[in-house]
């Protein structure tokens, strides 16, 4: 785990292993599971997670909903629905920023001090990674400047290439202060 500022960290690895108050899931609007990080989270959490998700009536793109973490080390899962990349002219950037903001608001409202995000929309949903990283870092940085909770935000990168992009984006903000 590299500590970039006192509030924002970058970690390379599997988000399902993190013992934090909340991990964020890059879900789809059904909230009923899928591949990628969504599949990994459901596998690690166990079938009780899907059962709770069935009670939520889905989720709109750009919004987020909270469940318990069940067999995960994380206490909660915050399920958010990123935009599918359609070339950039369909409000994708604002919807992606909204995913980060709504997840952080829900975490704050449940007194989560630590939260970990995957790189939402950058897999199956094909959002360009460099632009998505700038949005993720910029939105989280703005939120942490205005809110004291969550105290610590982790960007959980699945590979070293992604972690490098995050380090560059945080450096561009001047250490995320
Ligand atoms: N830990 C951390 N990051 C991960 C993990 C993991 N265990 N597994 C994958 N990633 P994706 P999306 C990274 O496709 O683009 C699902 O089917 C991965 O390398 O999981 O938002 C949903 O149900 C990539 O950088 O999510 C939706 O239908 C990032 O997580 C759809 O995919 C996101 O990739 C959502 O697509």
């Amino acid at each position: 785990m590299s500590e970039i500022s006192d509030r924002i960290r970058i970690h390379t690895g599997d988000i399902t292993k993190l013992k934090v108050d909340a991990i964020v899931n890059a879900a789809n609007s059904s909230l009923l599971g899928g591949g990628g990080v969504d599949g990994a989270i459901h596998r690690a959490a166990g079938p009780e997670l899907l059962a709770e998700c069935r009670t939520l009536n889905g989720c709109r793109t750009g919004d987020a909903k909270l469940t318990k973490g069940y067999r995960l080390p994380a206490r909660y899962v915050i399920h958010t629905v990123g935009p599918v990349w359609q070339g950039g002219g369909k409000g994708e950037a604002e919807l992606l920023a909204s995913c980060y903001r709504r997840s952080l608001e829900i975490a704050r409202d449940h007194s989560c001090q630590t939260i970990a995000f995957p790189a939402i929309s950058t897999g199956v949903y094909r959002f360009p990674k460099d632009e998505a990283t700038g949005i993720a870092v910029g939105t989280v940085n703005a939120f942490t400047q205005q809110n004291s909770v969550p105290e610590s935000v982790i960007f959980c990168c699945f590979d070293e290439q992604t972690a490098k992009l995050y380090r560059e984006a945080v450096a561009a903000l001047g250490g995320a202060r």
Side-chain angles (χ1 to χ4, degrees):
M1 188 95 58
S2 55
E3 191 161 338
I4 299 289
S5 79
D6 52 349
R7 304 275 305 275
I8 298 178
R9 294 151 200 250
I10 295 165
H11 172 72
T12 309
D14 179 352
I15 202 166
T16 67
K17 308 288 187 208
L18 296 182
K19 189 169 165 38
V20 287
D21 293 324
I23 61 170
V24 175
N25 182 16
N28 59 65
S29 56
S30 78
L31 297 186
L32 298 181
V37 69
D38 194 6
I41 288 172
H42 275 272
R43 274 194 300 280
E48 298 93 339
L49 178 62
L50 182 59
E52 185 176 355
C53 284
R54 285 192 200 286
T55 69
L56 298 178
N57 296 316
C59 183
R60 293 205 177 131
T61 302
D63 202 359
K65 291 191 178 178
L66 176 134
T67 65
K68 290 187 275 185
Y70 299 97
R71 299 176 202 176
L72 288 164
R75 184 154 169 233
Y76 296 114
V77 180
I78 297 172
H79 306 261
T80 191
V81 183
V84 177
W85 180 257
Q86 296 178 78
K90 303 268 185 190
E92 293 96 326
E94 185 42 50
L95 287 166
L96 185 62
S98 175
C99 288
Y100 285 92
R101 262 194 312 272
R102 288 292 303 131
S103 298
L104 288 163
E105 285 167 3
I106 289 169
R108 178 195 63 200
D109 295 347
H110 287 79
S111 303
C112 295
Q113 291 297 350
T114 51
I115 180 171
F117 283 97
I120 300 162
S121 281
T122 66
V124 175
Y125 282 0
R126 303 184 316 274
F127 205 114
K129 283 189 182 237
D130 50 352
E131 189 180 342
T133 304
I135 292 167
V137 170
T139 307
V140 166
N141 187 49
F143 191 91
T144 58
Q145 285 183 350
Q146 286 157 11
N147 295 271
S148 56
V149 179
E151 209 258 313
S152 174
V153 180
I154 297 165
F155 289 116
C156 181
C157 304
F158 207 39
D159 52 69
E160 190 46 45
Q161 205 185 341
T162 306
K164 186 167 176 280
L165 282 178
Y166 273 85
R167 279 194 290 270
E168 286 166 3
V170 170
L173 283 178
R177 299 282 177 172

